[in-house]
Structures are given as C-alpha cells and as structure tokens.
Amino acid sequence: MDIITRRFLPIISTLLLILVSLSSLASASLKVAFYASTCPSAEEIVTSTVNKAISENSGIAAGLIRMHFHDCFVRGCDASVLLASTHGNPAERDHFANNPSLRGFEVIEDAKAQLEAACPQTVSCADILALAARDSALKVGGINYDVPTGRRDGLVSVADEAAENLPAPTLSADELVSRFSRKGLSADEMVTLSGAHSIGVSHCSSFSKRLYSFNETLPQDPSMDSSYAETLKTKCPAPPSISDPTVSFDPSTPIRLDTKYYDGLIDHRGLLTSDQTLFTSQSTREMVLSNANDPANWSQKFAKAMVQMGSIDVLTGSNGEIRKHCTFVN
Ligand code: HEM
Ligand SMILES: *[C@@H]1O[C@H](CO)[C@@H](O)[C@H](O)[C@H]1NC(C)=O
Ligand SMILES: *[C@@H]1O[C@H](CO)[C@@H](O)[C@H](O)[C@H]1NC(C)=O
C-alpha cells in the first residue's frame, strides 16, 4: 500500500460508512422477522389469536384482510384505522366505509393485550394488522407468505381521508386502476387483490341499486345475470329500507379464499359494480380470465400483492410510535 492510500484509507472508510448508513436510512424499511430478538413470540401470539377467532367465526378472516387494506389505503399502513374518534374529530373507523361493516377490532385488541404482557411497547398495531391479514389468508385460503415487519403506529386518523382514499363499490375498472396506481399498485395487483372478495359479505346497500334502480331506463344492471339478480332480490329489500342485511360475495365457496370469485365474474355473478366491471372492461378482462384459469398462480400473486399493499407509506425507524392500546395514541 503506498503512502497516499494509507493516509486516505481511514477517511475513505469513514465516508463509506456514512454512505452505507445514509442509504439504510433512506430505505429505512420493513424486514421479515423484525421482532426475532425483541419479541420472539410476537408472530405466534398473533397467529394463535387469529386462528382461535376464525375458528369461532369464519367471517373474522374476511374482516381482518379488509381491515389491513383499509388501513394501508388511508395514510399508509399505520393502524390509523384502529384509532377511536375524539371529540370534534371523527376517525376513519367511524366513516360509513368502515362503520358498521368493518369487523375484527376485538381480535386485534386481544392480540395486542397479550403482546403488551409479553413484550411491552414493542410490537406495533400496524404490524399486528399485517400479520393478522396473512394468518387469515393462510387459515381460509392456504396462502402463506412472509410478512415484512417493523411498521410503527401513526398518531392521526381523519374520517374524511377514508372517503378520499377508499375506492367506492360503484367505480369502473379504469377508476379502480387509477385509485390503486395512486398507491403504487398495478392494474394486475388491483385485480389480484380484488380476489379477497371471494370471502366475506357485503351489506345490500353497497349494491342494491344494481337490483332496483340501475339508471333512468333500466331498473336492473344488465351486466348481472338475471337469475342471480332475482336471488339477491329475495335477500335484499328495495330501497328505501330500514333493514340492510348482508349476503356472501361468493355463494359457491363463501368462506374459502380462492379463485371462484373470478369464475363468478365470468358468469356475471359479481356482487358489486366494482367486481363485475373487472370482467366487463377490456382493460382488465384478460387478468380475470388468467386468475380463473390458474389458481396456483393467483395465490402466489395474491401473496406478493398483499406484501406490496402492506408496504404503502409505512412509518419506520423513529417515526410514529408503538401504541400501548391500538385504539388510542399514547
Ligand atoms: C377494488 C376496490 C374495492 C372495493 C370498491 C371494495 C369494496 C368493498 C365493499 C363495498 C365491501 C362490503 C362492505 C359492506 O357493505 O358490508 C367490501 C368487503 C370486503 N372487502 Fe373490499 N373492496 C375493494 C378491494 C378490496 C381489497 C383490495 C381487499 C383486500 C385485499 C378487500 C377485502 C374485502 C373483504 C375480505 C370484504 C368482506 C368483509 C367482511 O365480510 O367483513 N376488498 N369491499
Ligand atoms: C342505462 O344503462 C344501459 C346499460 O349500461 C345503457 O345502455 C343506457 O344508455 C343507460 N341509460 C341511461 C339513461 O343512462
Ligand atoms: C404467474 O404467471 C405469469 C404468466 O403465466 C408469470 O409471468 C408470473 O411470473 C406468475 N407469477 C407468479 C407469482 O408465479
């Protein structure tokens, strides 16, 4: 080593070190098994809590997958969907897109209570949501994937932001593509994630216009199979109605996360406008067909897309906080 190199080596290595730590700051990102040393039982606690809840009520799986989606689309995956409204500030969870339909809050609270007992203020509520969604997909769909963790919890929840960011069930395929692209998700990921509508239920009010008052000339949405519409009419009262029952998204396998949802779209048995449009629209029809034709490929794409969705605008490092209770900021 010549004298110049020897003199500058410490400086060069210091610069390198700074560069490396800067780049890790810039991508301060999630990683699989983030709690391996700080809370080794974290994932087991979530899994066992979620499994127990789903075995008592299979609908909880749908609730938890949807809750993660609704969290991530509003202010990123920061558990803002779990925060309670405060005086003068209605929170996301009280917006009509979430209240009364979003379910599974008590399961997250249950897991959080156990985690606080095992490892106080270590595991974020945002991570519990991401893990609970994965555990649900495994339990009711056999879809397993590693969940990168290390999210931190946000301090703010605003009901109006749910309105601005959550897609309405009346949107067209092109509108859905653009809503998802705002969150960094592709058209194919949007169609793939919509496969979550192969489980769970919808209130009639989310689609009853399709049955009774489609437009000025047609009472019924012509993109819906007419005998399916007749069946739905026996379950859903014509508006205006005080009662608002629920029906399964996928009557063929209502509690199995699978590609029967896409078969339903091909048969014109999609429940929401935003479901059926994926098949009606030229821009997404091929994606529906390929998911229907290749369930194994869809499962893999679903897992990947869930990880992608789970990384939207996350808080990491020293941003946000680790809540003590998921419903309240510290
Ligand atoms: C593409 C845009 C989407 C729209 C417009 C949409 C809209 C809706 C609506 C209106 C409901 C029924 C709410 C009710 O009336 O009870 C629902 C339920 C549900 N959504 Fe979506 N959704 C979309 C995408 C997603 C995504 C990406 C996921 C998850 C990856 C998801 C998971 C679910 C699940 C599992 C349910 C059933 C919930 C339950 O049974 O408790 N949805 N969605
Ligand atoms: C009602 O919907 C049908 C089918 O989509 C369409 O052809 C027709 O133009 C619509 N009518 C009005 C008045 O919007
Ligand atoms: C799904 O299939 C497509 C084309 O058939 C392929 O390009 C893609 O890599 C597959 N995706 C996964 C996650 O296996």
Side-chain angles (χ1 to χ4, degrees):
M1 224 186 286
D2 65 47
I3 184 79
I4 304 202
T5 316
R6 209 172 301 164
R7 245 182 100 181
F8 285 103
L9 203 60
I11 300 174
I12 293 170
S13 43
T14 310
L15 278 174
L16 266 174
L17 212 84
I18 291 173
L19 257 169
V20 167
S21 45
L22 267 180
S23 69
S24 77
L25 247 183
S27 66
S29 55
L30 309 176
K31 63 170 189 182
V32 172
F34 179 82
Y35 299 109
S37 61
T38 54
C39 190
S41 58
E43 299 205 14
E44 279 160 43
I45 290 175
V46 176
T47 304
S48 65
T49 308
V50 167
N51 283 347
K52 180 166 167 282
I54 296 173
S55 57
E56 285 162 11
N57 172 4
S58 62
I60 291 295
L64 292 173
I65 290 174
R66 183 171 184 234
M67 197 181 281
H68 183 43
F69 163 52
H70 282 202
D71 182 32
C72 293
F73 263 55
V74 187
R75 281 189 175 260
C77 316
D78 67 343
S80 53
V81 72
L82 300 175
L83 289 174
S85 295
T86 54
H87 187 70
N89 178 48
E92 287 169 33
R93 66 187 277 171
D94 287 324
H95 185 269
F96 74 86
N98 290 323
N99 189 351
S101 60
L102 207 59
R103 50 177 169 163
F105 290 102
E106 67 290 349
V107 181
I108 303 298
E109 285 296 347
D110 181 0
K112 179 61 172 173
Q114 295 175 56
L115 286 164
E116 285 303 297
C119 340
Q121 261 192 290
T122 304
V123 180
S124 68
C125 299
D127 278 342
I128 299 174
L129 278 176
L131 292 166
R134 184 272 313 275
D135 293 335
S136 298
L138 178 56
K139 180 97 170 151
V140 302
I143 299 174
N144 199 3
Y145 54 93
D146 288 335
V147 179
T149 41
R151 295 168 190 78
R152 292 172 60 89
D153 299 324
L155 305 173
V156 174
S157 180
V158 180
D160 286 346
E161 293 180 357
E164 290 153 22
N165 291 283
L166 296 174
T170 48
L171 296 188
S172 69
D174 292 340
E175 290 166 330
L176 291 169
V177 169
S178 108
R179 290 307 196 94
F180 277 64
S181 83
R182 272 201 239 157
K183 303 293 174 186
L185 297 172
S186 69
D188 194 64
E189 287 171 321
M190 183 273 289
V191 174
T192 296
L193 288 169
S194 293
H197 288 178
S198 104
I199 53 172
V201 299
S202 172
H203 287 79
C204 291
S205 55
S206 297
F207 60 85
S208 54
K209 272 199 97 169
R210 301 187 70 200
L211 307 175
Y212 296 106
S213 52
F214 180 61
N215 69 18
E216 279 142 46
T217 45
L218 292 175
Q220 205 163 295
D221 185 340
S223 72
M224 182 184 278
D225 174 81
S226 53
S227 72
Y228 187 47
E230 288 315 311
T231 308
L232 289 173
K233 281 179 175 177
T234 66
K235 298 177 176 167
C236 294
S241 157
I242 304 162
S243 78
D244 190 8
T246 59
V247 299
S248 292
F249 271 101
D250 173 12
S252 67
T253 55
I255 56 171
R256 185 76 195 163
L257 183 59
D258 59 16
T259 55
K260 290 287 188 314
Y261 163 79
Y262 299 103
D263 296 336
L265 301 185
I266 295 167
D267 293 340
H268 299 275
R269 287 163 178 254
L271 194 57
L272 309 176
T273 299
S274 57
D275 293 317
Q276 195 57 52
T277 184
L278 303 179
F279 184 69
T280 311
S281 166
Q282 280 307 323
S283 66
T284 48
R285 173 180 284 222
E286 280 306 316
M287 300 168 192
V288 169
L289 290 169
S290 78
N291 288 335
N293 288 335
D294 193 344
N297 185 272
W298 170 77
S299 298
Q300 286 178 13
K301 286 198 304 173
F302 185 79
K304 273 194 187 172
M306 286 294 282
V307 170
Q308 201 61 36
M309 185 179 87
S311 69
I312 297 172
D313 295 339
V314 291
L315 300 171
T316 55
S318 56
N319 294 322
E321 64 179 15
I322 305 295
R323 274 179 222 154
K324 290 182 194 145
H325 293 280
C326 291
T327 317
F328 309 103
V329 297
N330 293 341

